[in-house]
Amino acid sequence: MAAPMELFCWSGGWGLPSVDLDSLTVLTYARFTGAPLKVHKVTNPWQSPSGTLPALRTSHGEVISVPHKIITHLRKEKYNADYDLSARQGADTLAFMSLLEEKLLPVLIHTFWVDTKNYVEVTRKWYAEAMPFPLNFFLPGRMQRQFMERLQLLCGEHRPENEEELEKELYQEARECLTLLSQRLGSQKFFFGDAPASLDAFVFGYLALLLQARLPSGKLQAHLRGLQNLCAYCTHVLSLYFPWDGAEGPPPRQTPAGPETEEEPYRRRNQVLSVLAGLAAMVGYALLSGIVSIQRTTPARAPGTRSLSMAEEDEEE
């Protein structure tokens, strides 16, 4: 008998089954299709067999860590949410997914990882409270830098040099995208009728994060809340497919020396890496902040050493 497929993803919070966009999208697609997955919700990416989240370990032991490839694998395993779609609906799916990545993803990254108030009070706070020590000291900052690099790639070379102009342009395009999604959904339960498709999994991932997080700076959130059918859509998906998932706060923090139920093949590696990374981070912080400084000192000379060396130089001359 083949081993069950296992999905490793970020834990839930803010009333959602996961606080991570990619993890939430894959989880939603799996629920839509009824894929039999053993789900591991974790707060330490090193507990994943790939070191990243989300990650799928297939029944044959292969590890897949890209969301689109995970969904493609589930389709190959006969868990296909788009099976009944027409060719035109399939084309619409590709067009809308491209629109989401181009117009909504940059603003979602900006909202959670670039906006200072949101990052400090919501994003970093959740990850710092959820992650085990010592990862919570440095990993949120590293994740922020990675997302900022990703935002630069998404904006491309034609981005305005002025940050205010860039932000204004991004948010305007995102508002237009949300309005278009609202018009496309109309009064339907899902985007292609009464049954969910892969597009619904992606749209829900974007909208639910934006809608559920308590953001102190919620420019786009206010616009989304004004689109009643999109809000009702998110509530419908949550109540129907995730009635017992999600939590307002972060899960209990795990210590590096995790319980016996932790994934055995990776536990020892995780402990060693966590300790080494924590020590490196603390030493680096101490050096950069000036708490610890390295000074070069010369050894004390015995009396008469200077005169002796001078005499030796005279003899050489």
Side-chain angles (χ1 to χ4, degrees):
M1 183 176 178
M5 292 185 289
E6 296 180 80
L7 178 65
F8 297 79
C9 61
W10 283 103
S11 292
W14 312 328
L16 296 171
S18 178
V19 300
D20 172 66
L21 174 61
D22 292 337
S23 295
L24 184 56
T25 300
V26 173
L27 274 172
T28 305
Y29 183 88
R31 286 291 175 91
F32 284 171
T33 59
L37 299 177
K38 182 179 180 181
V39 178
H40 303 271
K41 293 186 178 181
V42 299
T43 56
N44 179 355
W46 292 346
Q47 289 179 314
S48 160
S50 67
T52 60
L53 297 170
L56 178 74
R57 183 191 285 133
T58 70
S59 56
H60 302 292
E62 180 188 359
V63 176
I64 307 171
S65 57
V66 179
H68 286 276
K69 292 182 179 180
I70 293 175
I71 291 176
T72 299
H73 178 79
L74 293 179
R75 285 175 177 162
K76 291 178 180 177
E77 295 293 319
K78 312 301 181 186
Y79 300 103
N80 188 357
D82 296 340
Y83 183 78
D84 293 325
L85 296 187
S86 65
R88 180 173 180 178
Q89 289 172 329
D92 287 346
T93 297
L94 294 176
F96 273 98
M97 286 174 61
S98 177
L99 184 70
L100 289 172
E101 186 170 343
E102 184 180 345
K103 305 298 183 184
L104 266 189
L105 181 56
V107 171
L108 206 67
I109 293 175
H110 189 279
T111 298
F112 284 93
W113 295 97
V114 179
D115 186 288
T116 304
K117 291 194 71 175
N118 291 340
Y119 173 68
V120 172
E121 298 180 27
V122 178
T123 310
R124 188 178 67 183
K125 181 176 184 293
W126 188 91
Y127 282 97
E129 291 177 358
M131 286 179 177
F133 174 85
L135 295 184
N136 56 338
F137 276 94
F138 68 92
L139 198 52
R142 191 178 79 173
M143 292 171 66
Q144 183 192 37
R145 291 190 293 273
Q146 290 173 343
F147 275 107
M148 291 176 75
E149 291 172 1
R150 188 176 179 185
L151 179 60
Q152 291 178 344
L153 290 174
L154 288 169
C155 292
E157 300 177 354
H158 304 293
R159 54 180 290 182
E161 295 182 3
N162 188 303
E163 289 297 326
E164 291 184 2
E165 291 181 8
L166 173 64
E167 184 177 335
K168 183 178 179 180
E169 180 181 310
L170 289 178
Y171 277 83
Q172 177 60 34
E173 292 180 348
R175 283 191 290 269
E176 293 173 357
C177 179
L178 289 178
T179 302
L180 181 61
L181 288 172
S182 176
Q183 294 171 351
R184 178 65 180 80
L185 178 64
S187 58
Q188 300 179 110
K189 290 182 180 180
F190 300 100
F191 278 87
F192 296 114
D194 293 332
S198 62
L199 177 61
D200 292 283
F202 283 90
V203 172
F204 173 75
Y206 283 91
L207 300 187
L209 278 175
L210 195 58
L211 190 63
Q212 292 289 111
R214 296 178 179 177
L215 301 172
S217 178
K219 304 168 188 175
L220 191 61
Q221 188 180 64
H223 182 74
L224 174 58
R225 287 176 173 169
L227 302 171
Q228 294 300 319
N229 64 335
L230 292 183
C231 296
Y233 169 81
C234 290
T235 302
H236 173 66
V237 173
L238 275 174
S239 61
L240 188 61
Y241 292 97
F242 301 101
W244 302 287
D245 293 78
E248 285 302 316
R253 181 183 296 171
Q254 300 175 357
T255 60
E260 290 300 319
T261 55
E262 193 174 330
E263 291 297 303
E264 289 296 335
Y266 312 103
R267 199 175 84 182
R268 180 63 59 185
R269 181 197 66 178
N270 295 339
Q271 291 175 6
V272 173
L273 289 177
S274 295
V275 171
L276 291 177
L279 287 173
M282 286 185 284
V283 171
Y285 175 78
L287 291 172
L288 291 174
S289 60
I291 297 175
V292 176
S293 60
I294 300 174
Q295 295 181 346
R296 182 175 295 175
T297 60
T298 57
R301 289 192 177 96
T305 303
R306 176 63 180 167
S307 59
L308 178 61
S309 62
M310 290 291 293
E312 289 174 352
E313 289 178 7
D314 292 338
E315 289 177 5
E316 290 176 0
E317 291 178 357

